[in-house]
Amino acid sequence: MEIDLSSYRLVRYLQFAIASVAFVGLVTRNVGVLINGSFALGVTFLPGVLKRDYRLSLSPTLTLWITVAVCLHAIGMLGLYDEVWWWDHLTHLLSATLVAGVGYATARAFDEHSDAVYFPPRFMFVYVLLFTLAAGVIWEVLEFTTRASAGFIGVKPVLIQYGLSDTIVDLIFDAAGAVLVALFGTTLLAETVETLRTRLSREKD
């Protein structure tokens, strides 16, 4: 209970920090900061929405994990992406672990739910890696498109994209995040997998 309470408090502090970033964007009329801060704040409420509307319960640690990742991204929009060389790498690594976690938990839940589905460990490792890289490529395309569109209409881009070399490095960190989840994320995601499996069983019944 103490761990849950501590995680809950940390999530609330981080939500306040994200809200502060969005407020700074509003006051300074920085559309990129405002949109990213608002989006990040919305993501932090996703675990509560999943639990309330879909009865999908995420562990306190996983909820904190999500909140930390989006908080660091929101704070980075205040200038840390430009001023701290490793900030982009850190946020990509954390975001990649989240994407990999979603891919792993969903596939494992189907594996445990149905006797007709079986994912060997080696396949699961490759699947998580490819799933995360595919999501990373989509994100990079979105960044490029957003930046090009912003330049075309003469406004500041909502997302930051620094070129081909930066994209390659981002994908490397995406792959690193996927590997971390594939190797060490099974215990942390066990509760989420069980929740998804139970949900699938209820839908079947």
Side-chain angles (χ1 to χ4, degrees):
M1 180 62 68
E2 291 182 359
I3 295 177
D4 292 356
L5 184 59
S6 298
S7 298
Y8 176 83
R9 288 176 177 173
L10 283 173
V11 167
R12 289 292 176 261
Y13 293 148
L14 292 170
Q15 285 177 326
F16 177 77
I18 297 171
S20 299
V21 171
F23 180 74
V24 169
L26 178 63
V27 172
T28 60
R29 298 182 180 180
N30 188 317
V31 177
V33 173
L34 176 59
I35 291 179
N36 281 274
S38 300
F39 176 78
L41 185 61
V43 170
T44 65
F45 291 103
L46 183 60
V49 173
L50 291 175
K51 183 176 182 179
R52 182 193 66 197
D53 296 344
Y54 300 98
R55 290 178 290 177
L56 297 178
S57 179
L58 303 184
S59 68
T61 302
L62 184 55
T63 300
L64 180 60
W65 179 10
I66 294 171
T67 308
V68 168
V70 295
C71 182
L72 291 178
H73 169 67
I75 293 174
M77 294 301 298
L78 295 176
L80 292 179
Y81 278 123
D82 294 321
E83 297 175 4
V84 181
W85 66 269
W86 47 263
W87 195 269
D88 186 49
H89 305 330
L90 175 62
T91 56
H92 264 277
L93 181 66
L94 286 175
S95 298
T97 59
L98 291 178
V99 173
V102 170
Y104 170 83
T106 303
R108 181 57 69 195
F110 275 103
D111 184 21
E112 296 184 3
H113 166 70
S114 175
D115 294 333
V117 177
Y118 172 63
F119 297 140
R122 290 185 179 179
F123 173 83
M124 184 63 72
F125 182 91
V126 174
Y127 161 77
V128 170
L129 179 61
L130 294 179
F131 180 87
T132 307
L133 286 176
V137 170
I138 293 173
W139 179 260
E140 295 298 329
V141 171
L142 180 62
E143 283 187 342
F144 176 80
T145 303
T146 302
R147 185 179 181 88
S149 300
F152 179 76
I153 62 178
V155 298
K156 291 184 178 180
V158 175
L159 299 175
I160 301 174
Q161 209 271 345
Y162 297 102
L164 181 59
S165 60
D166 176 69
T167 297
I168 294 174
V169 173
D170 287 345
L171 291 176
I172 291 174
F173 278 91
D174 289 344
V179 170
L180 287 175
V181 170
L183 292 177
F184 308 110
T186 54
T187 302
L188 180 60
L189 294 167
E191 181 178 339
T192 302
V193 170
E194 178 60 24
T195 300
L196 287 171
R197 187 196 65 78
T198 302
R199 178 67 176 177
L200 289 172
S201 298
R202 288 174 180 171
E203 291 292 336
K204 182 179 180 181
D205 295 337

